[in-house]
Amino acid sequence: GENVEQHPSTLSVQEGDSAVIKCTYSDSASNYFPWYKQELGKRPQLIIDIRSNVGEKKDQRIAVTLNKTAKHFSLHITETQPEDSAVYFCAASSWGKFQFGAGTQVVVTP
Amino acid sequence: ETGVTQTPRHLVMGMTNKKSLKCEQHLGHNAMYWYKQSAKKPLELMFVYSLEERVENNSVPSRFSPECPNSSHLFLHLHTLQPEDSALYLCASSQDDRAWGLTGAFFGQGTRLTVV
């Protein structure tokens, strides 16, 4: 089955700096890669996603890149703000079977 | 109410009890999931229902029994649980567009389960 690894497990950044989270997956059949943000005590929320026919996608300060050959994808957050502090999860889906990474605790310090 | 709603939000049960978790989605999706979220562990996929048929049972112990009577409702029946089953149980829904498989899952608020 699919195995998703996510790094780093914790990430501390200064406000205004960029944050990068990286994930690798094992199943070459995976074709959909969503990212979720989970604030303390709240549900995971979809923030951006990318399909396997696209190499990069951007939405304001958030971007995701996908390298199918290397089986890795990354989340980039630019100009970080305190409200970006949360746990971020990557996931890989192969026809409906979402497997999640272990999560990255992002802390943005003023 | 819109989105994905779960009840109850909190549940404390003894190991000999039987209880059920309920999930309802108002997004018109045709796939629903149960996930288990434990501290410092990845979200664990438990069950997937697509078009009301179970398509995934991820080696979950039989003390967890899912039920999907229709595409809007999902239940998780619990019996003779163990303390290690204490966790946040998240329901999610998604849309299976067949061309690309399922789209992003939308989560409910979760049920915080404590087994004593």
Side-chain angles (χ1 to χ4, degrees), chain A residues 41-68:
Chain A
K42 296 188 177 181
R43 74 186 82 189
Q45 292 201 304
L46 180 68
I47 56 171
I48 195 167
D49 56 12
I50 191 167
R51 298 188 186 277
S52 58
N53 65 337
V54 176
E56 185 174 356
K57 184 176 178 180
K58 189 175 181 180
D59 183 3
Q60 299 182 339
R61 296 186 296 107
I62 295 173
V64 58
T65 59
L66 171 65
N67 183 327
K68 284 169 50 182

PDB file of all heavy atoms in Angstrom, chain A residues 41-68:
ATOM      1  N   GLY A  41      -7.259  21.933  18.027  1.00  0.00           N
ATOM      2  CA  GLY A  41      -8.652  21.709  18.384  1.00  0.00           C
ATOM      3  C   GLY A  41      -9.635  21.803  17.244  1.00  0.00           C
ATOM      4  O   GLY A  41     -10.853  21.762  17.466  1.00  0.00           O
ATOM      5  N   LYS A  42      -9.114  21.944  16.030  1.00  0.00           N
ATOM      6  CA  LYS A  42     -10.016  22.078  14.884  1.00  0.00           C
ATOM      7  C   LYS A  42      -9.820  20.940  13.886  1.00  0.00           C
ATOM      8  O   LYS A  42      -8.880  20.170  13.979  1.00  0.00           O
ATOM      9  CB  LYS A  42      -9.789  23.427  14.205  1.00  0.00           C
ATOM     10  CG  LYS A  42     -10.137  24.612  15.105  1.00  0.00           C
ATOM     11  CD  LYS A  42     -10.085  25.915  14.337  1.00  0.00           C
ATOM     12  CE  LYS A  42     -10.501  27.081  15.222  1.00  0.00           C
ATOM     13  NZ  LYS A  42     -10.471  28.373  14.475  1.00  0.00           N
ATOM     14  N   ARG A  43     -10.705  20.881  12.937  1.00  0.00           N
ATOM     15  CA  ARG A  43     -10.628  19.825  11.935  1.00  0.00           C
ATOM     16  C   ARG A  43      -9.546  20.142  10.901  1.00  0.00           C
ATOM     17  O   ARG A  43      -9.234  21.312  10.669  1.00  0.00           O
ATOM     18  CB  ARG A  43     -11.976  19.700  11.232  1.00  0.00           C
ATOM     19  CG  ARG A  43     -12.273  20.831  10.236  1.00  0.00           C
ATOM     20  CD  ARG A  43     -13.668  20.744   9.679  1.00  0.00           C
ATOM     21  NE  ARG A  43     -14.646  21.316  10.587  1.00  0.00           N
ATOM     22  CZ  ARG A  43     -15.958  21.213  10.420  1.00  0.00           C
ATOM     23  NH1 ARG A  43     -16.440  20.518   9.412  1.00  0.00           N
ATOM     24  NH2 ARG A  43     -16.795  21.766  11.273  1.00  0.00           N
ATOM     25  N   PRO A  44      -8.979  19.122  10.254  1.00  0.00           N
ATOM     26  CA  PRO A  44      -8.073  19.384   9.128  1.00  0.00           C
ATOM     27  C   PRO A  44      -8.864  20.057   7.998  1.00  0.00           C
ATOM     28  O   PRO A  44      -9.989  19.655   7.699  1.00  0.00           O
ATOM     29  CB  PRO A  44      -7.609  17.985   8.705  1.00  0.00           C
ATOM     30  CG  PRO A  44      -7.897  17.101   9.873  1.00  0.00           C
ATOM     31  CD  PRO A  44      -9.109  17.682  10.535  1.00  0.00           C
ATOM     32  N   GLN A  45      -8.250  21.068   7.390  1.00  0.00           N
ATOM     33  CA  GLN A  45      -8.913  21.770   6.300  1.00  0.00           C
ATOM     34  C   GLN A  45      -8.018  21.759   5.071  1.00  0.00           C
ATOM     35  O   GLN A  45      -6.826  22.047   5.157  1.00  0.00           O
ATOM     36  CB  GLN A  45      -9.247  23.206   6.707  1.00  0.00           C
ATOM     37  CG  GLN A  45     -10.335  23.265   7.784  1.00  0.00           C
ATOM     38  CD  GLN A  45     -11.031  24.607   7.829  1.00  0.00           C
ATOM     39  OE1 GLN A  45     -10.356  25.617   7.988  1.00  0.00           O
ATOM     40  NE2 GLN A  45     -12.340  24.635   7.710  1.00  0.00           N
ATOM     41  N   LEU A  46      -8.640  21.451   3.943  1.00  0.00           N
ATOM     42  CA  LEU A  46      -7.919  21.426   2.679  1.00  0.00           C
ATOM     43  C   LEU A  46      -7.470  22.842   2.300  1.00  0.00           C
ATOM     44  O   LEU A  46      -8.281  23.770   2.289  1.00  0.00           O
ATOM     45  CB  LEU A  46      -8.841  20.865   1.599  1.00  0.00           C
ATOM     46  CG  LEU A  46      -8.282  20.749   0.185  1.00  0.00           C
ATOM     47  CD1 LEU A  46      -7.200  19.682   0.130  1.00  0.00           C
ATOM     48  CD2 LEU A  46      -9.401  20.421  -0.796  1.00  0.00           C
ATOM     49  N   ILE A  47      -6.183  23.011   2.038  1.00  0.00           N
ATOM     50  CA  ILE A  47      -5.695  24.344   1.689  1.00  0.00           C
ATOM     51  C   ILE A  47      -5.243  24.425   0.240  1.00  0.00           C
ATOM     52  O   ILE A  47      -5.329  25.485  -0.390  1.00  0.00           O
ATOM     53  CB  ILE A  47      -4.562  24.809   2.631  1.00  0.00           C
ATOM     54  CG1 ILE A  47      -3.403  23.797   2.657  1.00  0.00           C
ATOM     55  CG2 ILE A  47      -5.095  25.065   4.026  1.00  0.00           C
ATOM     56  CD1 ILE A  47      -2.176  24.296   3.402  1.00  0.00           C
ATOM     57  N   ILE A  48      -4.756  23.348  -0.306  1.00  0.00           N
ATOM     58  CA  ILE A  48      -4.336  23.336  -1.699  1.00  0.00           C
ATOM     59  C   ILE A  48      -4.171  21.887  -2.120  1.00  0.00           C
ATOM     60  O   ILE A  48      -3.951  21.005  -1.276  1.00  0.00           O
ATOM     61  CB  ILE A  48      -3.032  24.134  -1.911  1.00  0.00           C
ATOM     62  CG1 ILE A  48      -2.791  24.421  -3.399  1.00  0.00           C
ATOM     63  CG2 ILE A  48      -1.844  23.412  -1.282  1.00  0.00           C
ATOM     64  CD1 ILE A  48      -1.698  25.463  -3.656  1.00  0.00           C
ATOM     65  N   ASP A  49      -4.299  21.614  -3.402  1.00  0.00           N
ATOM     66  CA  ASP A  49      -4.121  20.255  -3.892  1.00  0.00           C
ATOM     67  C   ASP A  49      -3.515  20.297  -5.286  1.00  0.00           C
ATOM     68  O   ASP A  49      -3.508  21.337  -5.948  1.00  0.00           O
ATOM     69  CB  ASP A  49      -5.439  19.481  -3.900  1.00  0.00           C
ATOM     70  CG  ASP A  49      -6.533  20.179  -4.724  1.00  0.00           C
ATOM     71  OD1 ASP A  49      -6.240  21.134  -5.469  1.00  0.00           O
ATOM     72  OD2 ASP A  49      -7.709  19.759  -4.607  1.00  0.00           O
ATOM     73  N   ILE A  50      -2.977  19.171  -5.703  1.00  0.00           N
ATOM     74  CA  ILE A  50      -2.382  19.093  -7.026  1.00  0.00           C
ATOM     75  C   ILE A  50      -2.615  17.701  -7.585  1.00  0.00           C
ATOM     76  O   ILE A  50      -2.587  16.709  -6.846  1.00  0.00           O
ATOM     77  CB  ILE A  50      -0.871  19.457  -6.977  1.00  0.00           C
ATOM     78  CG1 ILE A  50      -0.305  19.631  -8.389  1.00  0.00           C
ATOM     79  CG2 ILE A  50      -0.079  18.405  -6.198  1.00  0.00           C
ATOM     80  CD1 ILE A  50       1.065  20.286  -8.401  1.00  0.00           C
ATOM     81  N   ARG A  51      -2.875  17.641  -8.873  1.00  0.00           N
ATOM     82  CA  ARG A  51      -3.070  16.358  -9.525  1.00  0.00           C
ATOM     83  C   ARG A  51      -1.805  15.974 -10.268  1.00  0.00           C
ATOM     84  O   ARG A  51      -0.956  16.816 -10.551  1.00  0.00           O
ATOM     85  CB  ARG A  51      -4.260  16.430 -10.478  1.00  0.00           C
ATOM     86  CG  ARG A  51      -5.568  16.732  -9.762  1.00  0.00           C
ATOM     87  CD  ARG A  51      -6.759  16.614 -10.694  1.00  0.00           C
ATOM     88  NE  ARG A  51      -8.002  17.028 -10.062  1.00  0.00           N
ATOM     89  CZ  ARG A  51      -8.740  16.260  -9.286  1.00  0.00           C
ATOM     90  NH1 ARG A  51      -8.341  15.028  -9.030  1.00  0.00           N
ATOM     91  NH2 ARG A  51      -9.858  16.704  -8.765  1.00  0.00           N
ATOM     92  N   SER A  52      -1.725  14.707 -10.637  1.00  0.00           N
ATOM     93  CA  SER A  52      -0.472  14.182 -11.178  1.00  0.00           C
ATOM     94  C   SER A  52      -0.141  14.689 -12.568  1.00  0.00           C
ATOM     95  O   SER A  52       0.969  14.464 -13.055  1.00  0.00           O
ATOM     96  CB  SER A  52      -0.500  12.655 -11.183  1.00  0.00           C
ATOM     97  OG  SER A  52      -1.596  12.173 -11.934  1.00  0.00           O
ATOM     98  N   ASN A  53      -1.065  15.380 -13.218  1.00  0.00           N
ATOM     99  CA  ASN A  53      -0.770  15.900 -14.559  1.00  0.00           C
ATOM    100  C   ASN A  53      -0.227  17.334 -14.515  1.00  0.00           C
ATOM    101  O   ASN A  53      -0.037  17.966 -15.543  1.00  0.00           O
ATOM    102  CB  ASN A  53      -2.016  15.851 -15.439  1.00  0.00           C
ATOM    103  CG  ASN A  53      -3.117  16.772 -14.935  1.00  0.00           C
ATOM    104  OD1 ASN A  53      -3.153  17.112 -13.756  1.00  0.00           O
ATOM    105  ND2 ASN A  53      -4.018  17.163 -15.824  1.00  0.00           N
ATOM    106  N   VAL A  54       0.000  17.831 -13.302  1.00  0.00           N
ATOM    107  CA  VAL A  54       0.473  19.204 -13.107  1.00  0.00           C
ATOM    108  C   VAL A  54       1.734  19.188 -12.250  1.00  0.00           C
ATOM    109  O   VAL A  54       1.840  18.396 -11.321  1.00  0.00           O
ATOM    110  CB  VAL A  54      -0.616  20.057 -12.423  1.00  0.00           C
ATOM    111  CG1 VAL A  54      -0.107  21.463 -12.127  1.00  0.00           C
ATOM    112  CG2 VAL A  54      -1.865  20.121 -13.285  1.00  0.00           C
ATOM    113  N   GLY A  55       2.683  20.049 -12.562  1.00  0.00           N
ATOM    114  CA  GLY A  55       3.918  20.072 -11.799  1.00  0.00           C
ATOM    115  C   GLY A  55       3.935  21.093 -10.672  1.00  0.00           C
ATOM    116  O   GLY A  55       4.690  20.949  -9.713  1.00  0.00           O
ATOM    117  N   GLU A  56       3.104  22.131 -10.808  1.00  0.00           N
ATOM    118  CA  GLU A  56       3.123  23.185  -9.811  1.00  0.00           C
ATOM    119  C   GLU A  56       1.768  23.885  -9.780  1.00  0.00           C
ATOM    120  O   GLU A  56       1.087  24.010 -10.803  1.00  0.00           O
ATOM    121  CB  GLU A  56       4.221  24.201 -10.140  1.00  0.00           C
ATOM    122  CG  GLU A  56       4.402  25.281  -9.099  1.00  0.00           C
ATOM    123  CD  GLU A  56       5.597  26.179  -9.391  1.00  0.00           C
ATOM    124  OE1 GLU A  56       6.326  25.911 -10.375  1.00  0.00           O
ATOM    125  OE2 GLU A  56       5.815  27.140  -8.639  1.00  0.00           O
ATOM    126  N   LYS A  57       1.399  24.326  -8.594  1.00  0.00           N
ATOM    127  CA  LYS A  57       0.142  25.065  -8.441  1.00  0.00           C
ATOM    128  C   LYS A  57       0.326  26.103  -7.351  1.00  0.00           C
ATOM    129  O   LYS A  57       0.984  25.827  -6.338  1.00  0.00           O
ATOM    130  CB  LYS A  57      -0.983  24.104  -8.070  1.00  0.00           C
ATOM    131  CG  LYS A  57      -2.365  24.740  -7.980  1.00  0.00           C
ATOM    132  CD  LYS A  57      -3.401  23.667  -7.698  1.00  0.00           C
ATOM    133  CE  LYS A  57      -4.792  24.241  -7.552  1.00  0.00           C
ATOM    134  NZ  LYS A  57      -5.788  23.172  -7.266  1.00  0.00           N
ATOM    135  N   LYS A  58      -0.235  27.284  -7.566  1.00  0.00           N
ATOM    136  CA  LYS A  58      -0.050  28.363  -6.597  1.00  0.00           C
ATOM    137  C   LYS A  58      -1.384  29.006  -6.256  1.00  0.00           C
ATOM    138  O   LYS A  58      -2.259  29.156  -7.115  1.00  0.00           O
ATOM    139  CB  LYS A  58       0.907  29.413  -7.181  1.00  0.00           C
ATOM    140  CG  LYS A  58       1.342  30.477  -6.185  1.00  0.00           C
ATOM    141  CD  LYS A  58       2.385  31.399  -6.789  1.00  0.00           C
ATOM    142  CE  LYS A  58       2.816  32.432  -5.766  1.00  0.00           C
ATOM    143  NZ  LYS A  58       3.836  33.370  -6.319  1.00  0.00           N
ATOM    144  N   ASP A  59      -1.528  29.358  -5.000  1.00  0.00           N
ATOM    145  CA  ASP A  59      -2.721  30.057  -4.541  1.00  0.00           C
ATOM    146  C   ASP A  59      -2.278  31.087  -3.511  1.00  0.00           C
ATOM    147  O   ASP A  59      -2.041  30.771  -2.349  1.00  0.00           O
ATOM    148  CB  ASP A  59      -3.719  29.077  -3.929  1.00  0.00           C
ATOM    149  CG  ASP A  59      -5.009  29.767  -3.494  1.00  0.00           C
ATOM    150  OD1 ASP A  59      -5.159  30.985  -3.721  1.00  0.00           O
ATOM    151  OD2 ASP A  59      -5.878  29.073  -2.917  1.00  0.00           O
ATOM    152  N   GLN A  60      -2.121  32.316  -3.951  1.00  0.00           N
ATOM    153  CA  GLN A  60      -1.666  33.430  -3.115  1.00  0.00           C
ATOM    154  C   GLN A  60      -0.312  33.087  -2.499  1.00  0.00           C
ATOM    155  O   GLN A  60       0.668  32.935  -3.233  1.00  0.00           O
ATOM    156  CB  GLN A  60      -2.734  33.763  -2.070  1.00  0.00           C
ATOM    157  CG  GLN A  60      -4.053  34.193  -2.705  1.00  0.00           C
ATOM    158  CD  GLN A  60      -5.113  34.586  -1.699  1.00  0.00           C
ATOM    159  OE1 GLN A  60      -5.078  34.212  -0.526  1.00  0.00           O
ATOM    160  NE2 GLN A  60      -6.078  35.366  -2.130  1.00  0.00           N
ATOM    161  N   ARG A  61      -0.232  32.947  -1.180  1.00  0.00           N
ATOM    162  CA  ARG A  61       1.078  32.725  -0.546  1.00  0.00           C
ATOM    163  C   ARG A  61       1.453  31.243  -0.473  1.00  0.00           C
ATOM    164  O   ARG A  61       2.509  30.888   0.051  1.00  0.00           O
ATOM    165  CB  ARG A  61       1.081  33.312   0.861  1.00  0.00           C
ATOM    166  CG  ARG A  61       0.915  34.813   0.912  1.00  0.00           C
ATOM    167  CD  ARG A  61       1.081  35.349   2.337  1.00  0.00           C
ATOM    168  NE  ARG A  61       0.046  34.853   3.249  1.00  0.00           N
ATOM    169  CZ  ARG A  61       0.253  33.944   4.196  1.00  0.00           C
ATOM    170  NH1 ARG A  61       1.451  33.416   4.381  1.00  0.00           N
ATOM    171  NH2 ARG A  61      -0.738  33.567   4.980  1.00  0.00           N
ATOM    172  N   ILE A  62       0.599  30.398  -0.965  1.00  0.00           N
ATOM    173  CA  ILE A  62       0.831  28.951  -0.863  1.00  0.00           C
ATOM    174  C   ILE A  62       1.071  28.374  -2.247  1.00  0.00           C
ATOM    175  O   ILE A  62       0.367  28.731  -3.208  1.00  0.00           O
ATOM    176  CB  ILE A  62      -0.383  28.263  -0.214  1.00  0.00           C
ATOM    177  CG1 ILE A  62      -0.546  28.740   1.225  1.00  0.00           C
ATOM    178  CG2 ILE A  62      -0.244  26.749  -0.251  1.00  0.00           C
ATOM    179  CD1 ILE A  62      -1.816  28.224   1.876  1.00  0.00           C
ATOM    180  N   ALA A  63       2.035  27.493  -2.352  1.00  0.00           N
ATOM    181  CA  ALA A  63       2.312  26.814  -3.606  1.00  0.00           C
ATOM    182  C   ALA A  63       2.660  25.370  -3.319  1.00  0.00           C
ATOM    183  O   ALA A  63       3.173  25.039  -2.233  1.00  0.00           O
ATOM    184  CB  ALA A  63       3.454  27.495  -4.361  1.00  0.00           C
ATOM    185  N   VAL A  64       2.364  24.513  -4.263  1.00  0.00           N
ATOM    186  CA  VAL A  64       2.726  23.106  -4.140  1.00  0.00           C
ATOM    187  C   VAL A  64       3.421  22.677  -5.423  1.00  0.00           C
ATOM    188  O   VAL A  64       3.040  23.104  -6.519  1.00  0.00           O
ATOM    189  CB  VAL A  64       1.487  22.233  -3.842  1.00  0.00           C
ATOM    190  CG1 VAL A  64       0.442  22.377  -4.928  1.00  0.00           C
ATOM    191  CG2 VAL A  64       1.855  20.790  -3.641  1.00  0.00           C
ATOM    192  N   THR A  65       4.474  21.890  -5.284  1.00  0.00           N
ATOM    193  CA  THR A  65       5.187  21.350  -6.429  1.00  0.00           C
ATOM    194  C   THR A  65       5.162  19.835  -6.365  1.00  0.00           C
ATOM    195  O   THR A  65       5.111  19.248  -5.288  1.00  0.00           O
ATOM    196  CB  THR A  65       6.648  21.834  -6.452  1.00  0.00           C
ATOM    197  OG1 THR A  65       7.296  21.427  -5.238  1.00  0.00           O
ATOM    198  CG2 THR A  65       6.721  23.344  -6.581  1.00  0.00           C
ATOM    199  N   LEU A  66       5.183  19.208  -7.504  1.00  0.00           N
ATOM    200  CA  LEU A  66       5.134  17.756  -7.594  1.00  0.00           C
ATOM    201  C   LEU A  66       6.196  17.262  -8.566  1.00  0.00           C
ATOM    202  O   LEU A  66       6.299  17.754  -9.689  1.00  0.00           O
ATOM    203  CB  LEU A  66       3.745  17.300  -8.074  1.00  0.00           C
ATOM    204  CG  LEU A  66       3.576  15.819  -8.428  1.00  0.00           C
ATOM    205  CD1 LEU A  66       3.744  14.941  -7.182  1.00  0.00           C
ATOM    206  CD2 LEU A  66       2.223  15.570  -9.086  1.00  0.00           C
ATOM    207  N   ASN A  67       6.975  16.303  -8.114  1.00  0.00           N
ATOM    208  CA  ASN A  67       7.956  15.638  -8.969  1.00  0.00           C
ATOM    209  C   ASN A  67       7.571  14.162  -9.016  1.00  0.00           C
ATOM    210  O   ASN A  67       7.868  13.391  -8.098  1.00  0.00           O
ATOM    211  CB  ASN A  67       9.369  15.818  -8.401  1.00  0.00           C
ATOM    212  CG  ASN A  67      10.440  15.220  -9.292  1.00  0.00           C
ATOM    213  OD1 ASN A  67      10.215  14.197  -9.957  1.00  0.00           O
ATOM    214  ND2 ASN A  67      11.604  15.831  -9.315  1.00  0.00           N
ATOM    215  N   LYS A  68       6.890  13.782 -10.084  1.00  0.00           N
ATOM    216  CA  LYS A  68       6.393  12.404 -10.180  1.00  0.00           C
ATOM    217  C   LYS A  68       7.518  11.393 -10.319  1.00  0.00           C
ATOM    218  O   LYS A  68       7.433  10.276  -9.807  1.00  0.00           O
ATOM    219  CB  LYS A  68       5.446  12.281 -11.373  1.00  0.00           C
ATOM    220  CG  LYS A  68       4.079  12.875 -11.141  1.00  0.00           C
ATOM    221  CD  LYS A  68       3.277  12.967 -12.426  1.00  0.00           C
ATOM    222  CE  LYS A  68       3.246  11.681 -13.200  1.00  0.00           C
ATOM    223  NZ  LYS A  68       2.497  11.827 -14.465  1.00  0.00           N
TER     224      LYS A  68
END
